Amino acid sequence: RPGLALCAGCGGRIQDPFLLRVSPDLEWHVACLKCAECGQPLDETCTCFLRDGKAYCKRDYSRLFGIKCAQCRAAFSSSDLVMRARDHVYHLECFRCAACGRQLLPGD
């Protein structure tokens, strides 16, 4: 469909022989698909995340929109083990008694 599509990045018509389709209704010039936060090019070597029609690299998407620890406010990595208490999520080392500071373990 080159020539018919409009670039979600610059708004121009895509007449290039190649375009990048990130979702069924969003297409970019190859040069226009960049992280909306840091400007990193998002190509086949970088995972692309969408939010509200904007594209983000994995690092910025996690920083801006990812779940954060209720105690230290840091984001979680995919390898982190977590503790959940109602609507809150904590790193294991951050899940502590508010009165004495002792680390709480499952079952406490």
Side-chain angles (χ1 to χ4, degrees), residues 16-57:
D16 304 350
F18 300 102
L19 59 83
L20 296 174
R21 182 174 293 128
V22 178
S23 71
D25 57 344
L26 294 175
E27 299 164 328
W28 276 264
H29 291 107
V30 173
C32 290
L33 185 57
K34 297 177 182 177
C35 176
E37 189 70 13
C38 71
Q40 174 185 353
L42 301 172
D43 55 19
E44 67 277 353
T45 64
C46 183
T47 304
C48 178
F49 295 85
L50 283 181
R51 176 114 177 199
D52 299 327
K54 294 181 182 178
Y56 297 91
C57 66

Side-chain angles (χ1 to χ4, degrees), residues 58-88:
K58 182 177 183 178
R59 184 187 75 240
D60 285 329
Y61 186 87
S62 294
R63 181 177 58 80
L64 294 168
F65 308 112
I67 297 172
K68 297 187 176 50
C69 176
Q71 177 62 34
C72 72
R73 304 300 304 152
F76 297 101
S77 73
S78 59
S79 62
D80 284 340
L81 297 175
V82 300
M83 294 291 282
R84 294 180 184 274
R86 296 194 179 163
D87 295 334
H88 301 287

Side-chain angles (χ1 to χ4, degrees), residues 83 92 95 104-108:
M83 294 291 282
L92 287 181
F95 193 62
L104 298 172
L105 303 173
D108 284 348

